Amino acid sequence: MEARIEAEASMFETSHVLGSLLASSSILSQAWHHCSAADTGAAAYVRGSCGNTVYVAFSSKYVANSLAGIRAGPMKAFDITELGGSGLFRPLVGGEGEEEEKVKVQALALHLFLTLLNSPNYQNLLQEIKDKPVIFTGHSLGGSLASLAALHFLCNSSSGSFSSCNSTPTPPLLCVTFGTPLLGNEAFSRAILRERLAGHFCHVVSQRDIVPRLLFCPLGPSLSILGAHMHCCNLLPDEERANLQKIVSMHIAAAATARKRESPYWPFGNYVLCSKEGAVCIDNPTAVVQLLYVTFVAGIEVVDLSYRDIAEAIPQHLLLKKRDITEEENFDGGISLVLEASGIGSTGIGAAAATEFKVSKRTSRSPNLICAELATKLGKITPCRAQIEWYKVLSDDDMGYYDSFKQRISPKKYSKVNINRMKLGQFWDEVIEMLQNNSLPYDFHRRAKWVNAAQFYKLLVEPLDIAEYYRTEQHMIKGHYLTHGRERRYEVFDKWWKSKTDLMDNSFVKRSKFAGLTQDSCFWARVEQAKELTEKVKTEQDAQVLGKFWKDIVEFEDYAKDLVERKEVSIDVLAPRSSYRLWVDEWKSIKSARAFCFNG
């Protein structure tokens, strides 16, 4: 079982389909043909076709001219900026928490794309190609525009912006770039993986090309060498090129060996690394960085191939994995083939790279294997959840498990439930930490098993967290639970559940009986706030402040009444001595007294 999972996680396997496609078709040669046409003109892009496939090629010359015209200087053009704000890439942003790295992309490329997007001609193009197979392509800086155009098309096709019906499937799309610089940060790369969009991107890189490796350097002196000529930095004088190669080699080495990176940029999608010996297609970002480094260092003295030569020759040279890598000799042979095809060889730096790949592969565990182990741990901790469920059942008839726990009715039961509560919280905190560290599959937070388990845990246990928060009077020190006491894991689970329900039919189906668990896990925190406001209403003399208190209480009253009427609460909410029932009775008496005063 473990061997099968490890084989499925091979760094050379998931890009197999794309490699087969490139090797058996004229996609690369056609893409390069259209890139060349785009770079000879003054327009931002050109449109062409091959059979029923539309090619949209973006011009590196257009981007370079725009870069040269930036008054703030070339350095500012390479800054990285947050992708959110425009809403055009909505699926990619918003999935990260407040403390997590924000999704960011290269500023100039985003600025130029947004400018292009607003042009009538480009809007007409989007309508023309919406139902057709399309390949976006570009060379060097033009590839950055192509990548953003493809991302925009994918994000908006899935949301129905280009379709008459939201259920219309996204048409086939591929983005092929040649020697393009890095586009976004690591959060950007993770977001593309999370949304399952990585397979739409193929970045072709030659062994000696500086441009795809340049933005591993910090946004400082190294870029000043290039100025506005990034698109032709491979044509620099020998001395300047040699100096630039040293700088690039140093910084990409730091990124490849997991030392501190000075640049935020990180690869995404599939990379086709090419040499005169062949090519290898890889989709693992860490493996891509390592190979970008070793191929560059090994290829400094090698005569480089043009992208035209690569596009024409790659169908004959592309490395394809023909068998499962499950045995020792096959694994070692696979590593050797990869290094040979990428132009590194099996001696010198190639031997060192092979050793590093083998050690890295054998000492690391695949995300799928870790996920399987985590499922076992979830099974082992399930009894903790079951004991809390039983505690809830025993408490529903009198005051409910929220108030029973808060008032420590039966101290022995309280202690046992409290220990289980903490064990479950620790488990789910570890899950979130592993997800943030990329130890779990990129789509883990969308897998039904884990989304449902997290939601059930939240609905069952968060009321106990709220009870403990108010029992220990933390609200007197920190403030109310909703704004100052809620654990971050619950906010994360809210996002998971929302992502799931957004894809479901949200038409309301009326319940025939009360829910097993109150569907608002923060309901009791709102009750506590309403209780405090009710006490303030009794003594407040300022009419304006009193009016605000009254308005907030009425809003909660209406909200709670609606939940009860729709049976979205558990039966314990309506237990005779529950906090909610006691508050309802008190609030009714206050309203009756107020009405009596007005009538009097």
Side-chain angles (χ1 to χ4, degrees), residues 18 134-136 146-147 150-151 153-155 170-177 192 195-203 268-270:
L18 179 59
V134 59
I135 294 178
F136 289 99
S147 296
L151 274 176
F153 192 84
L154 288 168
C155 290
T170 304
L173 179 145
L174 182 65
C175 178
V176 179
T177 70
I192 289 175
E195 298 300 321
R196 302 186 180 187
L197 300 178
H200 293 277
F201 295 88
C202 172
H203 307 292
F268 75 95
N270 297 270

Side-chain angles (χ1 to χ4, degrees), residues 301-583:
E301 303 299 328
V302 176
V303 176
D304 201 16
L305 292 173
S306 69
Y307 282 109
R308 176 182 176 182
D309 294 335
I310 289 173
E312 293 177 352
I314 204 170
Q316 288 76 40
H317 293 294
L318 191 66
L319 173 67
L320 298 177
K321 187 164 74 69
K322 297 296 186 182
R323 59 190 181 277
D324 291 335
I325 302 174
T326 56
E327 300 179 6
E328 184 75 22
E329 59 272 17
N330 287 346
F331 178 78
D332 293 345
I335 294 288
S336 299
L337 285 172
V338 167
L339 298 178
E340 179 183 346
S342 56
I344 301 173
S346 57
T347 60
I349 192 171
T355 301
E356 185 172 347
F357 272 124
K358 293 172 186 177
V359 171
S360 173
K361 186 63 180 172
R362 303 209 191 284
T363 56
S364 63
R365 294 181 301 160
S366 73
N368 284 330
L369 180 58
I370 295 175
C371 186
E373 293 173 350
L374 197 60
T376 302
K377 290 182 180 179
L378 177 63
K380 290 180 178 179
I381 207 169
T382 297
C384 295
R385 191 186 73 183
Q387 290 178 22
I388 295 178
E389 290 181 73
W390 182 243
Y391 176 78
K392 179 182 181 302
V393 171
L394 294 178
S395 306
D396 278 352
D397 292 339
D398 182 25
M399 62 172 57
Y401 83 123
Y402 171 79
D403 288 286
S404 295
F405 188 79
K406 181 182 176 184
Q407 297 180 31
R408 298 187 66 177
I409 305 297
S410 182
K412 288 185 179 180
K413 290 181 180 179
Y414 163 84
S415 297
K416 193 169 186 178
V417 169
N418 196 39
I419 290 173
N420 290 331
R421 175 182 72 90
M422 291 188 287
K423 285 182 179 179
L424 289 168
Q426 183 179 10
F427 170 79
W428 285 106
D429 283 343
E430 290 174 357
V431 170
I432 293 174
E433 183 178 0
M434 285 190 285
L435 189 61
Q436 290 176 342
N437 294 336
N438 296 322
S439 299
L440 298 173
Y442 64 86
D443 63 343
F444 176 87
H445 66 296
R446 292 192 172 183
R447 296 186 178 184
K449 172 181 178 176
W450 291 100
V451 173
N452 293 336
Q455 177 70 1
F456 188 90
Y457 158 75
K458 183 187 70 171
L459 296 181
L460 176 68
V461 177
E462 187 168 14
L464 301 182
D465 286 5
I466 297 169
E468 187 69 7
Y469 189 82
Y470 284 95
R471 186 189 72 80
T472 55
E473 297 186 343
Q474 292 298 305
H475 64 293
M476 304 294 291
I477 303 171
K478 300 178 181 179
H480 276 291
Y481 176 86
L482 286 172
T483 51
H484 299 285
R486 198 177 192 215
E487 294 288 348
R488 183 173 170 273
R489 59 177 172 270
Y490 296 126
E491 297 174 356
V492 173
F493 297 157
D494 283 344
K495 292 179 180 179
W496 292 8
W497 189 250
K498 184 178 185 302
S499 296
K500 176 183 177 178
T501 55
D502 284 347
L503 301 175
M504 298 166 57
D505 181 7
N506 292 321
S507 56
F508 176 70
V509 178
K510 188 174 181 179
R511 294 177 180 270
S512 59
K513 61 180 181 179
F514 286 104
L517 295 168
T518 299
Q519 298 302 291
D520 178 3
S521 62
C522 291
F523 176 80
W524 292 108
R526 306 185 203 283
V527 171
E528 295 290 351
Q529 285 183 303
K531 287 169 57 181
E532 182 179 284
L533 289 175
T534 302
E535 290 300 316
K536 291 180 178 180
V537 163
K538 296 177 182 179
T539 57
E540 183 58 53
Q541 300 298 318
D542 187 307
Q544 186 174 357
V545 175
L546 181 62
K548 183 181 184 307
F549 290 163
W550 195 276
K551 177 177 176 293
D552 291 343
I553 295 174
V554 170
E555 286 182 357
F556 170 72
E557 179 186 29
D558 293 340
Y559 169 75
K561 188 180 297 183
D562 181 61
L563 280 182
V564 172
E565 288 177 353
R566 292 190 289 116
K567 293 184 170 59
E568 293 289 299
V569 298
S570 170
I571 192 65
D572 68 295
V573 169
L574 303 177
R577 292 198 296 153
S578 75
S579 294
Y580 175 70
R581 281 291 296 269
L582 296 177
W583 172 82

Side-chain angles (χ1 to χ4, degrees), residues 152-297:
H152 170 259
F153 192 84
L154 288 168
C155 290
N156 288 273
S157 293
S158 62
S159 65
S161 298
F162 300 145
S163 306
S164 58
C165 177
N166 287 2
S167 61
T168 302
T170 304
L173 179 145
L174 182 65
C175 178
V176 179
T177 70
F178 298 90
T180 191
L182 299 171
L183 181 61
N185 62 353
E186 192 168 357
F188 175 72
S189 179
R190 288 197 303 268
I192 289 175
L193 279 173
R194 182 188 71 223
E195 298 300 321
R196 302 186 180 187
L197 300 178
H200 293 277
F201 295 88
C202 172
H203 307 292
V204 181
V205 177
S206 69
Q207 191 169 3
R208 292 188 63 195
D209 194 352
I210 294 177
V211 173
R213 301 165 169 93
L214 181 67
L215 290 182
F216 283 111
C217 300
L219 306 181
S222 60
L223 292 185
S224 64
I225 297 175
L226 302 179
H229 304 290
M230 182 178 182
H231 67 297
C232 59
C233 67
N234 292 310
L235 303 178
L236 288 171
D238 291 342
E239 184 177 351
E240 289 188 16
R241 178 180 171 85
N243 290 335
L244 184 59
Q245 284 176 332
K246 291 179 182 179
I247 295 173
V248 171
S249 298
M250 177 179 65
H251 290 291
I252 194 174
T257 55
R259 297 199 300 268
K260 183 179 180 181
R261 302 203 309 263
E262 297 187 56
S263 168
Y265 288 96
W266 198 247
F268 75 95
N270 297 270
Y271 271 70
V272 179
L273 301 168
C274 307
S275 73
K276 62 184 181 66
E277 304 296 334
V280 58
C281 186
I282 298 179
D283 65 353
N284 181 293
T286 302
V288 167
V289 175
Q290 292 171 341
L291 282 176
L292 283 173
Y293 167 62
V294 293
T295 55
F296 186 60
V297 174

